[in-house]
Structures are given as C-alpha cells and as structure tokens.
Amino acid sequence: VLRYLAGLERWARRVDAAGPGDIALYRFGRTASHGAIVIDEDRMVHAYRPLRAVVLQERRALEARLDSYWSVIPE
C-alpha cells in the first residue's frame, strides 16, 4: 500500500473534484488502497476482484468509501 501511495503522490496531485482521466482513491479497511480511473461524472473503470476483471461501474457504487481524487501531473 505504501508503494502505491508513494507512486500516486509522485505522479499526481490531490484535487477537490475529479475530471475524466483522474484517479479516485477508495478506502478498504483502514487505509486508502484502491484506485479507479474516472471516465466522466457518472462512471469509472477499475479492477473488480470478485469477477477477476476490469469493469465499467457507476461512481456512486463506491462513494461511501471515497478517500480522495488525484489529477495526473503532466511532465
């Protein structure tokens, strides 16, 4: 988890609202450890372990677990 968060902090900056291509970071357990790519204001794409697949999902499905949004910093 620490390596994941360190990479996110290196290549992105925390933002208040997410736009297309930004990262939504979610809490599972005691720490933020799951990310999704924001597609638009309603949808995201992320890995879903029970299905062992990458899925397109409504953002509101995980809103109770939302930790923060991150925007990739261009080089």
Side-chain angles (χ1 to χ4, degrees):
V1 170
L2 292 176
R3 188 177 282 172
Y4 176 74
L5 294 175
L8 189 59
E9 289 175 341
R10 180 177 180 194
W11 298 107
R13 62 183 168 82
R14 196 174 186 149
V15 294
D16 292 329
D22 288 345
I23 305 296
L25 188 60
Y26 296 95
R27 284 187 172 274
F28 284 87
R30 293 182 293 159
T31 186
S33 59
H34 182 75
I37 300 170
V38 173
I39 302 298
D40 57 30
E41 60 186 53
D42 298 319
R43 300 173 299 158
M44 64 183 173
V45 62
H46 70 111
Y48 186 56
R49 190 176 198 172
L51 292 178
R52 295 183 178 196
V54 174
V55 297
L56 182 64
Q57 187 171 23
E58 296 291 320
R59 287 173 58 184
R60 66 177 175 228
L62 294 178
E63 69 186 347
R65 295 184 177 273
L66 182 64
D67 179 79
S68 54
Y69 293 120
W70 295 78
S71 182
V72 176
I73 300 169
E75 290 186 38

